[in-house]
């Protein structure tokens, strides 16, 4: 394939000196030269993004599998009636999980937009 | 082997008023007519237009399309059914089918949009540079459409009984006649409109089905004195009067099955081809993200209502028909129409009950539309045009696409004449398949650039095998008269067909990673393709990762001189 990048492979890894901003370092990164590995983020952007993703994922896992597991472990406590008439486990699963996932999604999408802003990226178009 | 076509499956929801009703029938037919008119106005003949509706759809509209595409008869009817019949276990469906969207959002939505391929087989074929991988993905997509649609056909057949009564076609039972009738309408409609029409319909379909469902919920709650302004919370007061089985954990099914089901539904959500295609139709990756959020919001509107509707229906059933649990208890056929039954048992006018029923039919048709299009494009585009006849003209491709839709319609109808399980369980089989075969390929393909062709082929084959074994074990016996109900109960306990992805996904991940490590790394172009999916650089509306990578690397211009 034609290799007519503006960057030479050596130019990419400009060490981020204290004075540059995330947006500047972003412009100096050639994302096509950096490995993609879920467990080993190779760019500053990817590190920031994955921190967001894993935080969300852990909260999600607790939200989705936490209540049902707690119910299996401590059925007495988890099935007690809460104000509103619901047994606790039923409320956490039927209402807590879907509503929680929705709130978490809004949180992620907003934080992801903030990440774009930090790196000086604009998607243009509507939005 | 004696594959018998069951001729006397008399699924008949007890308590449901089965007769021809004029106004509800007009409602359904008017609705279908509206879909066809919209479909006709946006009729398209070229393949490009068939597959994706020209990438010009915004957040909210795409969110609604996600919602309509997603909320099938399984959500509209089947979920309330399982909550009513299986109590706490039914909530695994609420959780699996909604919270999975968050995983889709954080790991895949935007990256898929950047990859920029139209279909799941296209993604797999291009990411792994393999026509064999593409073919396996295409066959999987077709199978998913087929299995998924059986549940929809069952839903349409049962609800149709309320509206059209017993048609008695060719000596079939009322339920079977209705399946044939509704599937004929669905396929006829689909063959004409193609995807442009379907997409434009989807916002309309979403509005119809959510209005019908919420109207049903509010009115049923109000006239029976269950609720006033917020039935989604107010049904809490009913737990003291409802039978214990409605809420007590793990009395119907075990903790393990709960987790297996929820997990399977989550990964299935992330692997379903007709869901992913929604991200290719949006303007930018940001729109892909936000329309996922909107889509989840639109889905939650129904999912938070479903348990309330199930609670109302359960109470009405036990007051007017008999005990819901125990022997004989509520049948799965009655469970599957509990939403309609609740409206009918509240003595509401037939036109209103008909509206609730019509919403269920809208839900089924909208989803079958998305599924059959994904399945037929897999056949015409990925298998026919890419492998069998590379010189195929557009006209030939469209023809093959339409023939595959008819074929899907026919086999779905046949399988639905005597369905093996309630709607939601039937649909879960498709989720297990998507989760076991496609999800690992999407996930690893996007998040680990060293996943290679050999790994993908080994992984997909493993996934298919792990999916098929429990299907043979539990589902096949329904269709083969010489087999008992379940071949191996132990296998069914640990690798249940309804949640086999819990076992399959880790195994497929390990196989794919191990084989990828043991064989040659993918070439640099493929790696750059993956990197382009994660680069924060914005992409043009019509650009795919492949184009960016093959031109100049798509990197910023201004950065070069910095």
């Amino acid at each position: 394939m034609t290799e007519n990048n503006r960057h030479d492979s050596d130019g990419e890894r400009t060490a981020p000196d204290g004075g540059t901003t995330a947006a500047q370092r972003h412009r100096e990164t050639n994302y096509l030269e950096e490995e993609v590995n879920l467990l080993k983020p190779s760019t500053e952007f990817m590190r920031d993004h994955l921190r967001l993703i894993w935080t969300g994922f852990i909260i999600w896992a607790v939200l989705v599998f936490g209540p049902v597991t707690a119910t299996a472990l401590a059925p007495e406590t988890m099935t007690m009636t809460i104000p509103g008439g619901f047994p606790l486990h039923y409320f956490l699963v039927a209402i807590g999980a879907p509503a929680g996932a929705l709130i978490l999604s809004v949180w992620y999408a907003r934080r992801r937009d903030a990440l774009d802003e930090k790196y000086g990226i604009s998607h243009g178009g509507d939005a | 082997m004696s594959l018998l076509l069951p001729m006397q499956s008399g699924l008949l929801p007890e308590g449901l008023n089965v007769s021809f009703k004029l106004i509800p029938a007009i409602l359904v037919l008017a609705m279908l007519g509206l879909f066809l008119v919209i479909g006709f106005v946006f009729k398209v003949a070229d393949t490009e237009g068939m597959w994706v509706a020209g990438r010009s759809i915004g957040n909210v509209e795409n969110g609604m399309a996600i919602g309509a595409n997603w909320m099938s008869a399984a959500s509209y009817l089947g979920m309330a059914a399982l909550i009513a019949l299986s109590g706490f276990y039914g909530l695994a469906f609420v959780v699996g089918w909604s919270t999975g969207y968050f995983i889709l959002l954080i790991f895949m939505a935007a990256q898929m949009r950047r990859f920029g391929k139209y279909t799941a087989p296209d993604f797999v074929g291009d990411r792994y540079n393999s026509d064999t991988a593409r073919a396996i993905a295409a066959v999987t997509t077709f199978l998913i459409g087929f299995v998924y649609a059986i549940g929809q056909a069952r839903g349409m057949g049962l609800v149709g009984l309320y509206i059209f009564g017993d048609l008695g076609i060719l000596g079939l039972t009322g339920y079977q006649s209705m399946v044939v009738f509704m599937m004929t309408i669905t396929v006829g409609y689909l063959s004409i409109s193609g995807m442009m029409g379907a997409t434009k319909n989807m916002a309309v379909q979403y509005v119809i089905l959510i209005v019908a469902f919420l109207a049903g919920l509010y009115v049923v709650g109000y006239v029976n004195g269950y609720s006033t302004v917020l039935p989604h919370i107010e049904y809490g007061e009913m737990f003291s009067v409802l039978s214990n089985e409605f809420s007590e954990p793990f009395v119907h099914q075990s903790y393990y099955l709960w987790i297996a089901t929820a997990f399977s539904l989550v990964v299935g959500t992330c692997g379903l081809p007709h869901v992913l295609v929604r991200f290719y139709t949006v303007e930018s990756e940001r729109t892909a993200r936000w329309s996922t959020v909107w889509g989840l919001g639109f889905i939650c509107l129904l999912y938070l209502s479903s348990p309330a509707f199930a609670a109302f229906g359960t109470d009405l059933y036990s007051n007017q028909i008999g005990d819901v649990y125990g022997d004989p208890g509520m049948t799965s056929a009655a469970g599957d129409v509990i939403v309609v039954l609740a409206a009918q048992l509240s003595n509401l006018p037939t036109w209103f009950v008909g509206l609730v029923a019509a919403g269920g039919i809208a839900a089924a048709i909208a989803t079958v539309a998305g599924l059959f299009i994904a399945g037929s494009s897999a056949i015409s585009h990925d298998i026919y045009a890419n492998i069998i006849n590379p010189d195929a003209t557009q006209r030939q491709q469209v023809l093959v696409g339409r023939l595959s839709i008819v074929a899907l319609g026919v086999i779905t109808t046949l399988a639905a004449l005597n369905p093996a399980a309630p709607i939601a369980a039937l649909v879960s089989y498709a989720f297990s398949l998507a989760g076991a075969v496609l999800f690992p390929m999407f996930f690893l393909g996007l998040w680990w650039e060293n996943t290679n062709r050999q790994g993908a082929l080994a992984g997909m084959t493993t996934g298919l095998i792990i999916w098929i074994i429990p299907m043979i074990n539990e589902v096949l016996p329904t269709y083969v008269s010489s087999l008992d109900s379940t071949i191996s109960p132990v296998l069914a306990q640990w690798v249940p067909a309804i949640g086999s992805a819990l076992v399959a996904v880790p195994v497929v991940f390990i196989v794919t990673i191990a084989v990828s490590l043991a064989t040659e790394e993918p070439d640099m172009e493929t790696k750059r393709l993956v990197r382009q999916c994660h680069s924060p650089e914005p992409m043009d509306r019509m650009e795919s990762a492949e184009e960016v990578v093959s031109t100049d690397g798509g990197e910023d211009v201004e950065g070069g001189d910095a």
Side-chain angles (χ1 to χ4, degrees), chain A residues 20-118:
Chain A
T20 58
T21 65
Q24 276 172 319
R25 291 194 297 278
H26 155 70
R27 283 197 294 276
E28 288 158 10
T29 309
N30 183 343
Y31 290 92
L32 294 188
E33 301 297 330
E34 303 292 341
E35 186 187 359
V36 170
N37 182 335
L38 180 65
L39 306 176
K40 279 188 294 185
S42 59
T43 62
E44 187 182 351
F45 177 83
M46 188 63 114
R47 263 191 299 281
D48 279 353
H49 190 197
L50 276 175
R51 191 175 305 130
L52 191 59
I53 288 176
W54 287 124
T55 309
F57 180 76
I58 290 166
I59 299 172
W60 174 89
V62 172
L63 196 71
V64 170
F65 296 110
V68 60
T69 306
T71 307
L73 296 174
E76 294 290 309
T77 322
M78 290 301 292
T79 51
M80 69 184 184
T81 302
I82 60 166
F86 286 96
L88 177 61
H89 73 294
Y90 203 95
F91 182 85
L92 288 177
V93 173
I95 295 174
L102 179 59
I103 294 166
L104 213 50
S105 298
V106 174
W107 168 82
Y108 168 81
R110 293 176 63 111
R111 290 288 303 270
R112 180 62 183 72
D113 281 350
L115 219 52
D116 275 344
E117 206 164 300
K118 176 180 170 189

Side-chain angles (χ1 to χ4, degrees), chain B residues 285-500:
Chain B
E285 55 168 300
R286 185 165 183 273
T287 315
R289 281 195 294 274
W290 277 104
S291 61
T292 311
V293 177
W294 278 101
L296 177 55
F298 288 131
I299 290 165
C300 278
L301 268 185
L302 187 136
Y303 278 35
L304 293 173
S305 310
S306 225
F309 224 145
F312 299 167
T314 306
D315 195 54
L316 288 164
Y317 185 99
S318 63
N319 290 339
Q320 298 185 33
I321 300 180
D323 284 341
V324 175
Y325 307 101
D327 195 22
M330 196 197 303
T331 64
S332 70
D336 274 341
V337 295
I338 191 78
V339 166
V340 179
L341 203 52
Q344 185 204 306
L345 294 179
S346 304
N347 293 317
L348 295 167
T350 41
W351 69 264
F352 187 83
V353 185
L355 177 73
V356 176
I361 290 173
I365 290 179
T367 301
V368 173
L371 288 167
F372 279 16
I373 283 164
S376 83
S377 94
I379 298 298
S380 67
H381 178 74
D382 301 298
I383 292 193
Y384 180 71
N386 262 300
I387 298 170
I388 298 176
N389 180 7
D391 303 323
T393 61
Q394 286 223 329
R395 183 179 292 272
Q396 284 173 316
Q397 280 193 56
V398 171
L399 181 68
V400 171
R402 288 182 178 169
L403 286 177
S404 354
I405 285 178
V406 173
L408 267 168
V410 170
I411 57 172
T412 303
T413 307
L414 289 177
L417 290 180
N418 184 20
I423 300 169
L426 289 168
V427 167
S428 307
Y429 303 151
F431 277 74
S432 295
L433 176 59
V437 178
L438 294 177
F439 166 72
M441 296 310 117
F442 294 160
F443 190 92
L444 286 171
L446 287 172
W447 282 99
W448 186 43
E449 62 181 31
N450 287 345
T451 321
N452 66 11
R453 177 189 311 167
Q454 293 84 344
L457 289 174
M460 285 201 287
T461 314
T462 311
L464 268 176
I465 292 170
I466 300 182
W467 176 75
I468 284 174
I469 291 172
M471 289 297 286
I472 293 174
N473 188 35
E474 294 170 54
V475 181
L476 189 66
T478 316
Y479 296 101
V480 182
S481 55
S482 56
L483 293 174
D484 283 335
S485 54
T486 295
I487 300 168
S488 161
V490 177
L491 184 68
Q493 186 184 347
W494 294 108
V495 192
I498 207 169
S500 58

Side-chain angles (χ1 to χ4, degrees), chain B residues 240-256:
Chain B
S240 48
V241 284
L242 288 170
S243 156
N244 248 348
E245 282 97 329
F246 188 80
S247 64
E248 204 178 325
F250 318 125
V251 285
H252 300 279
Q253 304 291 353
S254 67
Y255 168 74
Y256 177 80

